[in-house]
Amino acid sequence: RVFFEQVISPDGSAEAFDFEDAGLDFSVAEVDPTAEGGIRHIELKPGGQDIAVTDHNKYEYIALMLQYKFGNRVSEELGALLVGFYSVIPHQLLSVFLISELQLLLAGLPQIDANDWRFNTLYSGCKETSAIAKWFWSVLEEMTNSERSRLLQFVTGTSRVPVGGLGALQGHDGHKCPFTLKVIARKATYFPEAHTCFNALYIPRYTNKEDMRRHLLQLVKTDITGFNLA
C-alpha cells in the first residue's frame, strides 16, 4: 500500500514519481524460506527481471503490479472466498449487476441528505416541533458530509446510507428500524449515547443549541467505537 501511495498521485496519475532513478524492473521480490537467500523473484511478465521500468512503460508496470498484488498473489484465498460467497448468493443472481450497482447495494450511498434524515425520524421524549429537536436538525445541517457520516456511524454502525434512503435503515434483526431521536433526563454536561441495535440516539436535555453543537461535534471528531460516551 505504501508503495502505491508513493507512486500514484491522488488524481490517479504517476507523473510525480521518478521511475527512471528508482531502479525498478518488471519483477517483485517475495520472502520465501525455501528459496536461495530466502528471497524469491517473480516476474510480472516474461523476462521481467531484464526490463527496466521507465517513464514510457510505468503505467504497464503499475497495472501488472496491481494485478499481481490483488489477484495472482491471493488467487487461492480469493478462490476459496468466492466458493463460500457463491454458496450463499449464487453467481447467476449477481451477474445481472454492474460493479458500481453491486457496490451501492453492499456499501450504500456516501452522501447524507439532512432532509431525508429528518423525514425518516421517530421521536421519543420530545416532538419534532420541540426546541431541542430543532437544534439537533440545525446542527446536522451545518455539519459537513464527513461529520454527518461519523454521526450516522456512531448511531447505526454504518457511515453510509442504504440505497433506499434513511427510511430503509434496518435494525439488528434485519427488519426496518427508523432512526430515533430520544431526549433523556441527563445533565447537559453528558455526551449523547448511541443504541446501534435500534438506530437510536439518546441526547441529554441540553438547554441551548451551542451546548448541543459542542457535544455533537466533539463526538464525531473523536475516534470512538462504543455504545456510549459519557
Side-chain angles (χ1 to χ4, degrees):
R1 175 180 175 179
V2 173
F3 170 76
F4 289 117
E5 289 178 345
Q6 290 176 339
V7 303
I8 302 177
S9 302
D11 62 0
S13 70
E15 302 303 322
F17 187 80
D18 191 349
F19 285 87
E20 300 286 353
D21 294 335
L24 299 171
D25 58 47
F26 278 74
S27 69
V28 60
E30 294 280 5
V31 176
D32 185 351
T34 64
E36 184 178 351
I39 299 295
R40 179 166 54 98
H41 292 276
I42 301 169
E43 294 186 331
L44 300 176
K45 61 187 296 186
Q49 280 190 274
D50 299 321
I51 304 174
V53 179
T54 67
D55 279 337
H56 297 292
N57 59 20
K58 60 188 177 184
Y59 285 106
E60 179 189 9
Y61 169 76
I62 292 173
L64 290 173
M65 181 65 85
L66 285 169
Q67 179 182 330
Y68 171 74
K69 291 287 188 180
F70 299 105
N72 302 348
R73 186 186 187 191
V74 293
S75 58
E76 184 176 347
E77 293 85 349
L78 185 59
L81 173 64
L82 288 175
V83 169
F85 186 77
Y86 290 145
S87 69
V88 178
I89 305 177
H91 179 268
Q92 58 268 27
L93 296 182
L94 296 173
S95 62
V96 299
F97 295 103
L98 298 173
I99 292 178
S100 57
E101 294 173 333
L102 189 59
Q103 181 181 17
L104 283 177
L105 287 174
L106 293 175
L109 301 166
Q111 294 298 319
I112 298 177
D113 186 333
N115 289 325
D116 178 42
W117 196 333
R118 183 188 312 193
F119 182 77
N120 292 287
T121 292
L122 300 179
Y123 297 88
S124 178
C126 70
K127 298 179 179 180
E128 185 178 4
T129 56
S130 301
I132 196 167
K134 291 180 178 179
W135 295 339
F136 175 79
W137 295 120
S138 179
V139 172
L140 189 74
E141 289 173 355
E142 294 165 1
M143 286 181 174
T144 65
N145 192 71
S146 176
E147 290 168 341
R148 292 177 190 172
S149 294
R150 289 182 64 82
L151 180 60
L152 183 65
Q153 183 173 20
F154 177 69
V155 179
T156 69
T158 177
S159 62
R160 296 167 75 95
V161 179
V163 175
L166 284 163
L169 281 176
Q170 296 180 348
H172 67 288
D173 57 1
H175 292 97
K176 185 177 178 180
C177 183
F179 169 75
T180 297
L181 181 65
K182 181 172 182 176
V183 177
I184 57 176
R186 269 201 170 186
K187 294 180 181 179
T189 55
Y190 281 72
F191 283 91
E193 295 180 6
H195 292 256
T196 55
C197 292
F198 307 103
N199 298 328
L201 180 66
Y202 287 22
I203 58 175
R205 194 171 291 279
Y206 296 113
T207 57
N208 59 75
K209 176 183 171 181
E210 289 309 311
D211 277 349
M212 180 186 291
R213 184 211 306 274
R214 178 168 55 83
H215 281 87
L216 284 174
L217 289 180
Q218 189 171 344
L219 186 73
V220 300
K221 292 178 180 178
T222 304
D223 187 13
I224 50 180
T225 55
F227 284 92
N228 63 72
L229 182 67

